[in-house]
Amino acid sequence: MNEDRLFSPFQLKNCQLRNRIGVAPMTRKSSQHDSIPRRDVLDFLVRRAENGAAIVYTEAIVTDYESAQGYPGQSRMVTQRQIEAWRPVVRTIQDAGAVAIMQMFHCGRIAWPEVNPAKRIIAPSPIAPKQNNASTGSPYPVPDEMSPFDVKHVIQGFVETAKGAIAAGFDGVEIHGAHGYLISEFLSLYSNQRTDAYGGPIENRYRFAHEIIQAVSEVIPEERLLTFRISDWGGVDREVSLFGTKAEYQTLIRLLGKEPLDAISVSTYDYRRNAFGTEQNMAQITREATNLPLMICGKIYDRASAEDALTDADIVLSAKSILLNPNWVEDVREGKPLPIRKSEEANIAYTTTPLP
Ligand SMILES: Cc1cc2nc3c(=O)[nH]c(=O)nc-3n(C[C@H](O)[C@H](O)[C@H](O)COP(=O)(O)O)c2cc1C
């Protein structure tokens, strides 16, 4: 048991976390034309900080004005107005005692054409996901294979967005390398069939992530954080294991371990579930391959599951439970009986109903 651990501090580089609980990144699709989340969506993040979370992640912020947006109502961090909108929110989160981290992403081939300003969907290879877009019922379009120009352009989008986060005062930024979006698409053979330096063995498929991490790290001041999110599953074609074997996944984790990263965040459906046909779960398999601080997420819903998840990780993140219960951290502290939340319940995130 890790009873005392959950509410003990953790030193994440220069940031002292007051406990081991964070708000996982959650897209809310609330922005209008300005790529700024709705007021109540920003207030939701502040309230989670005021109610005891040690880390508050933003929703996945889109990295450019061209092909990075995958869903309607996503937000950006590249204009002065966007930065000004976030600055007081970030400050209030910090004043409430939490660390604020901006997550950023490029959707790659998981894209609604309707919201793609460039009318051009890009990915490592011209292969569409097998599954239809669950929200529109339409097939995903076959993406354009990214050219060397596209690669450089996309990297620049991550850099500019990271600069925006720093200007807005965030304690750090996260590069979203999970869930089958663009970076994840490069990492996995399932979506990367390239024959150039970005395709083939895992070391090559990793090159795109490496170049993004390196370029972004150059604009992150020394005292701020840089984290990377990873998963073995994608939001579309969910049943596919993106890395296939424990050996390949651990090679990737070791490559990440050489980067200027301050933590790896592992996203799962269920932190308990064993992976790659082994008797180990994702946290255990990741821990074996790195000494970096680890965050784990997936069906952590009450005190017992949070403590158990900390056996092989340093920080637990919650999405659905903390989305639906503003007092989740306190309820966990008190050891209250709490429900496992279903995905359908989380759909409220995408309505205009302000969440408490
Ligand atoms: C409404 C909602 C939006 C999400 N948006 C993101 C996102 O923007 N970026 C991300 O990395 N994960 C996102 N996720 C996944 C969660 O961060 C988390 O990995 C997943 O829900 C499992 O955690 P849970 O069991 O605590 O819900 C989202 C989840 C939900 C429920």
Side-chain angles (χ1 to χ4, degrees):
M1 284 300 255
N2 299 285
E3 247 171 70
D4 300 329
R5 220 165 151 222
L6 187 58
F7 286 95
S8 69
F10 182 74
Q11 196 67 35
L12 189 57
K13 197 154 98 179
N14 297 324
C15 297
Q16 206 196 51
L17 306 182
R18 57 185 165 190
N19 59 47
R20 310 302 188 89
I21 301 175
V23 180
M26 276 183 276
T27 292
R28 299 288 305 275
K29 307 182 191 168
S30 73
S31 89
Q32 299 298 314
H33 303 296
D34 51 7
S35 288
I36 297 170
R38 240 180 17 238
R39 183 74 258 158
D40 63 280
V41 169
L42 296 172
D43 292 343
F44 161 90
L45 296 176
V46 167
R47 212 152 36 244
R48 296 303 178 272
E50 289 169 347
N51 291 359
I55 301 180
V56 174
Y57 272 99
T58 68
E59 61 191 61
I61 301 285
V62 172
T63 51
D64 63 43
Y65 265 100
E66 293 166 32
S67 53
Q69 184 170 351
Y71 301 95
Q74 290 197 285
S75 302
R76 293 179 173 79
M77 195 75 74
V78 286
T79 69
Q80 193 61 39
R81 190 177 282 189
Q82 289 153 5
I83 292 163
E84 299 296 341
W86 276 96
R87 195 176 279 142
V89 176
V90 172
R91 200 175 312 121
T92 319
I93 288 172
Q94 292 163 340
D95 288 348
V99 165
I101 305 181
M102 183 202 73
Q103 187 191 55
M104 54 181 177
F105 106 131
H106 186 300
C107 66
R109 66 182 189 162
I110 304 185
W112 288 29
E114 296 86 341
V115 299
N116 184 281
K119 298 269 178 277
R120 180 166 178 259
I121 291 167
I122 59 173
S125 300
I127 308 167
K130 291 201 173 61
Q131 196 184 308
N132 281 357
N133 182 330
S135 301
T136 64
S138 310
Y140 285 97
V142 176
D144 284 359
E145 177 176 303
M146 283 170 69
S147 68
F149 178 89
D150 290 326
V151 167
K152 290 214 160 46
H153 186 69
V154 167
I155 293 172
Q156 210 44 44
F158 277 88
V159 170
E160 291 304 314
T161 304
K163 283 188 196 165
I166 298 306
F170 278 93
D171 297 290
V173 305
E174 173 162 285
I175 296 169
H176 191 347
H179 301 167
Y181 298 114
L182 186 64
I183 296 176
S184 175
E185 286 160 25
F186 269 88
L187 293 174
S188 174
L189 265 183
Y190 184 63
S191 41
N192 181 348
Q193 300 285 314
R194 295 175 77 97
T195 52
D196 65 2
Y198 295 92
I202 182 67
E203 290 78 6
N204 280 8
R205 283 180 274 133
Y206 178 68
R207 191 179 309 277
F208 182 61
H210 166 71
E211 289 179 358
I212 292 175
I213 295 169
Q214 288 296 323
V216 167
S217 71
E218 281 176 23
V219 300
I220 305 286
E222 179 50 36
E223 75 284 2
R224 314 265 185 122
L225 303 168
L226 181 56
T227 70
F228 190 91
R229 199 164 207 218
I230 189 88
S231 67
D232 186 44
W233 58 282
V236 176
D237 297 353
R238 276 192 177 223
E239 67 294 347
V240 174
S241 163
L242 297 180
F243 301 107
T245 64
K246 173 178 166 181
E248 177 160 308
Y249 175 75
Q250 288 192 327
T251 301
L252 169 64
I253 296 299
R254 289 194 187 94
L255 290 167
L256 286 168
K258 294 183 191 158
E259 304 285 6
L261 293 174
D262 300 304
I264 296 179
S265 175
V266 180
S267 171
T268 74
Y269 293 141
D270 181 344
Y271 80 90
R272 263 175 279 237
R273 195 180 295 167
N274 291 339
F276 305 116
T278 70
E279 300 290 302
Q280 295 172 296
N281 63 34
M282 285 298 283
Q284 290 167 327
I285 291 170
T286 312
R287 183 60 107 201
E288 255 180 21
T290 184
N291 291 324
L292 276 173
L294 276 194
M295 305 185 193
I296 186 76
C297 188
K299 274 208 185 117
I300 295 164
Y301 66 99
D302 66 355
R303 177 138 193 167
S305 55
E307 283 168 359
D308 185 45
L310 278 187
T311 308
D312 297 289
D314 301 295
I315 295 160
V316 295
L317 300 183
S318 167
K320 291 189 282 293
S321 289
I322 213 162
L323 174 84
L324 295 160
N325 176 0
N327 301 316
W328 190 72
V329 175
E330 226 17 70
D331 288 353
V332 166
R333 189 195 294 274
E334 288 170 18
K336 282 193 185 168
L338 298 168
I340 299 184
R341 300 296 194 166
K342 297 193 177 65
S343 299
E344 304 82 77
E345 289 178 86
N347 287 339
I348 195 168
Y350 308 123
T351 67
T352 51
T353 309
L355 294 174

